[in-house]
Amino acid sequence: MGKMSPVPDEVSKPFWDACNEGKLIVQNCAGCKGNDGKDWLQHPPQAACYKCGTTENLTWKEMNGRGKIHGYSTMYDSRIRSLQEDQPFIIAVIELEDAPEIKMFSHLPGTPVDDDVPVGGTVQVEFQDTLGTEQKVAEWRVVS
Amino acid sequence: MASTEMFPESRYRKTEGLGVWEHRGKVAIVGLGNSPTSRRWDGTLETSLGAWTMLAAQKALDEAGITVDDVDGVIACDKGMGDDWGGDASQGRGYFEAPYDSEDGLSGVSAHWLVKNMGLKNVKMTYHAPGCLSTALVAAAQAVGDGEAHTVLVVRGTGNMPGRYHQTPGNTTGGNGQWTNPWGWQLIPQIAFGFDQYCRTYGKNHDMMAPFILNQRRNGSMFPEGFYYQNRPDDLQITAEDYLASRWICKPMNMNDCDLPIQTAGAFLFTTAERAKDMKKKPVYVLNHVTQRGVVRSSLETMAETEEFSAHIARKCYEGSGLTASEVDVFNPYDGFTLFTQWFLEGFGWHGVGKGEALDFYAGDIRVEGPHPFSSSGGNNGNGRTRWWGHYDTVQQLRGEAGDRQVQIKHETGISGAFTPGHSDWLVLGTSPD
Ligand SMILES: [Zn+2]
């Protein structure tokens, strides 16, 4: 897939650098807990914690790299020029095993475009090259 | 060069717990106007958004029986919905003579442009509202209620230049796009994903949308201001087979689930309930206005968030107007993508429709002459994309002037709004100020 390369900014750079090192990290506010009493995680990363609004406790947590297909749609007519030659393609929503409230996108490499995309199936992260720069992005492959 | 401020964020009614709107029944809509429609701008000044916005505004004034000198406020949604004149399709083409020597008046119309070119010499208040005419309409309700102006024109030109717009070229992407563009995520896959989740959760399927789309087209065939009525009446006669055979845009969304971008301009005239008494049209009173700006937890809007946003909009509409779901007669939520309209229908509980029941409701009698005349406007699917047909129809229905579309049930209250469950603005209207 002809993915555009994300251009990191001050807030997102640690996330994208981690992708280049083969690690999946998510922003964490050490001062906050989620409703379930677990770590407060947020993605996409923000300049401040969006629960407490402060910046001083923001840090990063590495995720285990597993997730689940939450849902998807299949794109036939994208606005993104670099993706148009690969149409139709799946755009899946992945929820992280470590933090189901965190969602990421995937083209589900290896999964054919048909009506049998395994919603609820387990996926494993991998890191894929992009078109414009050396930047890698997180992608997800069905493992069961 | 003249300029116009944005209407202040703090004046939109965004939260629950605000109680009944302080100006309930004290503001009225007394004029409507719409220009002709076309699929795309033909490049002539006579059909530019500036010219057409002036035409629409004049019609709204004529309806009320007042003149340009009576207007003391203008609120514009000043940008169109497509690319501008300098965009992809018009590379190398220059502007025209003044007042068409910039984008203003061509791909959008600002409040100050309208003031200047219509000679609105008594205007003391101008504002802009971003994104949707609905936003400008709720701003006008609040501004008139607050006494900042007494007679306010609210305008927008939608605009559709030749060519495909919002195409995203290039191999790199920054800002918010860094999280979405590598995968091609944007509004369309969001809506398609949401509808797929809906079908998965409630055991429904895309074929079940057909009765709604066909009814929207049928209502469009009775809306003389609409694009299809004026330009493509044959497209209003589609069958369920035609609907389902149209090409996928983002499965499960097909071409006929999308509203067609068009070139047109619309105007709504607001005034105080007091002044409305002396104007030509029967006033339609504003009972409440509501703004929705949902914040999502992660990279996209989940179905749980969409359902909560929709219910939240409804609770705010009901709270500020004092109405309950069973007291809403006319209901025109946005349909431009048809695949999100069920969220509004269920969130508001109109005619008792609960979660997961909308598609079955569509299979019943939703014709305007029937007991459940849902989306009596025909919406943007039946009239082309403006995002204001729902408001326009609601006013006409409450006046009893919707012609062949006139609903046969009681038509004393109505709710209309656009755009999505996460981001939209709503009017609650009534034939009585009380
Ligand atoms: Zn925090």
Side-chain angles (χ1 to χ4, degrees), chain A residues 3-7 9 12 16 41 43 45 50 70 73-74 76-77 79 81 84 103 105 107 115 139, chain B residues 164 166-168 171-173 178-179 182-183 185 189 197 247-251 296-300:
Chain A
K3 283 188 175 69
M4 297 174 89
S5 303
V7 178
D9 51 42
S12 67
W16 294 121
L41 299 166
H43 181 85
Y50 93 55
H70 176 81
S73 50
T74 306
Y76 285 71
D77 194 353
R79 289 177 176 179
R81 290 247 167 89
Q84 288 170 352
K103 308 285 194 288
F105 300 116
H107 290 135
D115 291 333
E139 257 300 356
Chain B
R164 302 204 79 184
H166 293 166
Q167 295 284 296
T168 308
N171 288 338
T172 59
T173 179
Q178 69 186 293
W179 307 109
W183 294 272
W185 184 265
Q197 295 290 95
R247 70 181 176 90
W248 295 117
I249 300 298
C250 184
K251 198 175 178 181
V296 299
R297 179 69 179 80
S298 188
S299 308
L300 72 146

Side-chain angles (χ1 to χ4, degrees), chain B residues 8-303:
Chain B
E9 281 294 316
S10 60
R11 295 173 70 185
Y12 294 106
R13 291 172 60 82
K14 293 182 187 170
T15 60
E16 289 181 64
L18 296 175
V20 172
W21 182 39
E22 67 271 22
H23 305 308
R24 183 189 192 278
K26 295 179 186 139
V27 178
I29 298 175
V30 289
L32 302 174
N34 211 89
S35 78
T37 59
S38 65
R39 172 73 170 107
R40 298 177 190 278
W41 186 37
D42 64 7
T44 68
L45 295 183
E46 294 71 30
T47 59
S48 64
L49 287 185
W52 273 6
T53 300
M54 288 196 281
L55 208 62
Q58 187 60 51
K59 283 188 189 181
L61 296 176
D62 292 346
E63 272 204 353
I66 64 172
T67 74
V68 288
D69 292 342
D70 297 310
V71 176
D72 70 341
V74 175
I75 302 186
C77 184
D78 62 319
K79 300 278 191 283
M81 289 191 230
D83 279 343
D84 60 27
W85 180 238
D88 232 22
S90 56
Q91 289 291 328
R93 276 187 269 184
Y95 292 117
F96 306 88
E97 298 295 308
Y100 295 97
D101 52 3
S102 71
E103 290 300 324
D104 207 359
L106 291 184
S107 61
V109 178
S110 70
H112 47 269
W113 192 97
L114 192 74
V115 167
K116 186 171 174 211
N117 290 288
M118 274 192 92
L120 301 169
K121 63 178 190 288
N122 294 322
V123 165
K124 58 179 197 248
M125 178 202 84
T126 57
Y127 283 116
H128 286 160
C132 198
L133 185 70
S134 303
T135 315
L137 294 172
V138 302
Q142 190 64 37
V144 172
D146 287 344
E148 197 175 354
H150 56 69
T151 305
V152 176
L153 270 171
V154 184
V155 295
R156 185 183 202 183
T158 55
N160 192 26
M161 300 284 174
R164 302 204 79 184
Y165 62 76
H166 293 166
Q167 295 284 296
T168 308
N171 288 338
T172 59
T173 179
N176 290 336
Q178 69 186 293
W179 307 109
T180 55
N181 285 342
W183 294 272
W185 184 265
Q186 35 95 344
L187 183 62
I188 284 176
Q190 166 76 63
I191 303 304
F193 154 83
F195 184 78
D196 190 66
Q197 295 290 95
Y198 178 92
C199 291
R200 206 174 289 285
T201 302
Y202 297 120
K204 309 298 173 190
N205 61 66
H206 182 256
D207 291 6
M208 296 178 74
M209 289 296 294
F212 177 49
I213 279 68
L214 266 55
N215 198 64
Q216 292 292 77
R217 301 293 174 98
R218 181 173 185 269
N219 290 347
S221 75
M222 298 181 271
F223 205 147
E225 291 88 343
F227 167 82
Y228 289 105
Y229 183 103
Q230 294 175 2
N231 302 279
R232 292 188 187 173
D234 288 352
D235 286 3
L236 297 170
Q237 308 302 324
I238 63 167
T239 64
E241 290 69 32
D242 296 333
Y243 163 61
L244 295 171
S246 78
R247 70 181 176 90
W248 295 117
I249 300 298
C250 184
K251 198 175 178 181
M253 177 192 291
N254 75 22
M255 181 91 111
N256 278 317
D257 292 313
C258 309
D259 51 0
L260 186 75
I262 60 170
Q263 171 94 356
T264 193
F268 288 67
L269 184 65
F270 283 66
T271 192
T272 62
E274 201 51 41
R275 283 176 183 258
K277 288 179 194 157
D278 300 324
M279 296 186 189
K280 256 170 48 185
K281 282 286 177 198
K282 178 178 153 186
V284 171
Y285 298 93
V286 183
L287 305 182
N288 188 21
H289 67 85
V290 157
T291 289
Q292 170 73 11
R293 299 288 182 266
V295 177
V296 299
R297 179 69 179 80
S298 188
S299 308
L300 72 146
E301 188 177 304
T302 64
M303 176 174 154

Side-chain angles (χ1 to χ4, degrees), chain B residues 371-407:
Chain B
H372 308 293
F374 178 58
S375 189
S376 46
S377 58
N380 298 261
N381 195 272
N383 296 290
R385 187 182 67 190
T386 59
R387 298 186 185 153
W388 65 66
W389 299 121
H391 303 296
Y392 209 95
D393 174 70
T394 304
V395 171
Q396 291 183 328
Q397 296 285 355
L398 266 55
R399 287 173 176 171
E401 294 184 353
D404 292 341
R405 290 187 337 278
Q406 187 63 51
V407 300

Side-chain angles (χ1 to χ4, degrees), chain A residues 29 31-32 40 49 51-52 54:
Chain A
C29 177
C32 286
W40 176 262
C49 167
K51 187 158 196 211
C52 69
T54 69

